[in-house]
Amino acid sequence: MHEIITIQIGREANYVGTHYWNTQSSYTTPLLDHNISFQPSLTSKIETPFPRTLIYDFKSSLGSFIHDQDPIEPETPAEEGLTTIQTTPSTPSHPYQVALSTTFDPPTPLPETVRYWSDYNRTFFNRRSIHPLSDSPSTPGFELFNNLDTTDNGIVDTHLRPLLEECDHLQGLQFLTSTTTPWNDFTTSYLEQTHDEVGKIPLWVWGCGSDSSSRRVVQQAR
């Protein structure tokens, strides 16, 4: 296999990432190797493919996306759980999510009804993929990264390395990142540490802007 790990950083990037994973999950052709982007996992004795991804965003941007932050032991796949869409008193589930619980193919939600990227998500994620940050948009991105890096005993060691170790032949890492403050500086710090960890493995960065005049730019990190 030639696996690809996707790292999503910030609100705009997660809007794009949700479309990406919804599309990836919809492919059914046997000619496509799903193991490139997905990690097969056993949950409740049912094989469930989880995206090879790490997602970072402020808690207020998650909507009704509920994340169990308890750690998962890789050697005990039966204990792995699914990140699910649930209703909370402060953020009720989008009607699309309610419909998903009763039918596989509900009507596409109207853009004007979407408030969060989780509103139209239809992909199951491993709970270790989701990393909500305390809401502090005025905090510099470098500081946000350093705080999380300290709290979680090293982002690369605790978040990224487990995904790297599950790959047989890593093809590369792609970053979907919001180009707005503070995520641009957060991504810069993340790229620097990732570069030190993976060496010559290609890193690709996709910048996602919220301004209508912004263009999504792809560049090869090296």
Side-chain angles (χ1 to χ4, degrees), residues 205-218:
V205 181
W206 299 79
C208 307
S210 59
D211 191 291
S212 60
S213 63
S214 298
R215 294 185 306 162
R216 188 173 62 180
V217 180
V218 60

Side-chain angles (χ1 to χ4, degrees), residues 12 15 23 39 44-45 52 54 71 82-83 112 120 126 129 131 145 151 154-155 160 178 193 217:
E12 293 81 10
Y15 269 94
T23 302
Q39 169 67 47
S44 301
K45 299 182 180 180
R52 300 181 189 273
L54 295 171
L82 296 177
T83 298
E112 58 267 23
Y120 57 92
N126 191 310
S129 289
H131 298 279
F145 182 88
T151 302
I155 289 179
L160 181 58
S178 299
Q193 285 206 15
V217 180

Side-chain angles (χ1 to χ4, degrees), residues 72-104:
I72 296 175
E73 297 296 334
E75 65 272 14
T76 56
E79 295 181 4
E80 293 182 0
L82 296 177
T83 298
T84 59
I85 302 299
Q86 300 178 1
T87 300
T88 64
S90 58
T91 309
S93 293
H94 189 278
Y96 180 74
Q97 295 299 326
V98 176
L100 272 178
S101 64
T102 59
T103 178
F104 179 74

Side-chain angles (χ1 to χ4, degrees), residues 10-222:
R11 182 172 180 268
E12 293 81 10
N14 285 317
Y15 269 94
V16 175
T18 301
H19 285 296
Y20 174 78
W21 291 116
N22 284 350
T23 302
Q24 290 289 322
S25 300
S26 69
Y27 292 143
T28 58
T29 172
L31 300 178
L32 182 66
D33 185 357
H34 288 277
N35 290 325
I36 291 176
S37 296
F38 289 84
Q39 169 67 47
S41 299
L42 289 176
T43 301
S44 301
K45 299 182 180 180
I46 300 175
E47 184 172 313
T48 303
F50 291 125
R52 300 181 189 273
T53 188
L54 295 171
I55 296 175
Y56 300 88
D57 209 339
F58 291 128
K59 292 179 181 178
S60 61
S61 297
L62 298 180
S64 59
F65 200 79
I66 303 302
H67 166 52
D68 183 350
Q69 297 186 60
D70 292 338
I72 296 175
E73 297 296 334
E75 65 272 14
T76 56
E79 295 181 4
E80 293 182 0
L82 296 177
T83 298
T84 59
I85 302 299
Q86 300 178 1
T87 300
T88 64
S90 58
T91 309
S93 293
H94 189 278
Y96 180 74
Q97 295 299 326
V98 176
L100 272 178
S101 64
T102 59
T103 178
F104 179 74
D105 191 23
T108 302
L110 298 175
E112 58 267 23
T113 69
V114 173
R115 296 180 58 199
Y116 308 98
W117 52 266
S118 61
D119 287 347
Y120 57 92
N121 170 66
R122 56 185 302 144
T123 304
F124 286 113
F125 294 94
N126 191 310
R127 60 190 178 191
R128 68 181 177 184
S129 289
I130 315 299
H131 298 279
L133 282 72
S134 299
D135 295 291
S136 51
S138 61
T139 302
F142 294 115
E143 185 175 334
L144 274 178
F145 182 88
N146 290 334
N147 290 342
L148 183 62
D149 195 45
T150 301
T151 302
D152 288 3
N153 298 316
I155 289 179
V156 169
D157 286 339
T158 58
H159 298 181
L160 181 58
R161 183 166 290 132
L163 289 180
L164 295 174
E165 293 175 348
E166 292 171 354
C167 297
D168 294 328
H169 189 79
L170 182 64
Q171 180 179 169
L173 294 91
Q174 61 176 352
F175 285 74
L176 304 179
T177 177
S178 299
T179 57
T180 54
T181 303
W183 301 116
N184 44 9
D185 292 337
F186 185 98
T187 302
T188 298
S189 297
Y190 209 125
L191 282 168
E192 289 174 350
Q193 285 206 15
T194 302
H195 179 276
D196 293 339
E197 175 69 20
V198 301
K200 295 182 179 180
I201 293 176
L203 305 178
W204 287 83
V205 181
W206 299 79
C208 307
S210 59
D211 191 291
S212 60
S213 63
S214 298
R215 294 185 306 162
R216 188 173 62 180
V217 180
V218 60
Q219 66 181 50
Q220 191 171 15
R222 66 176 186 281

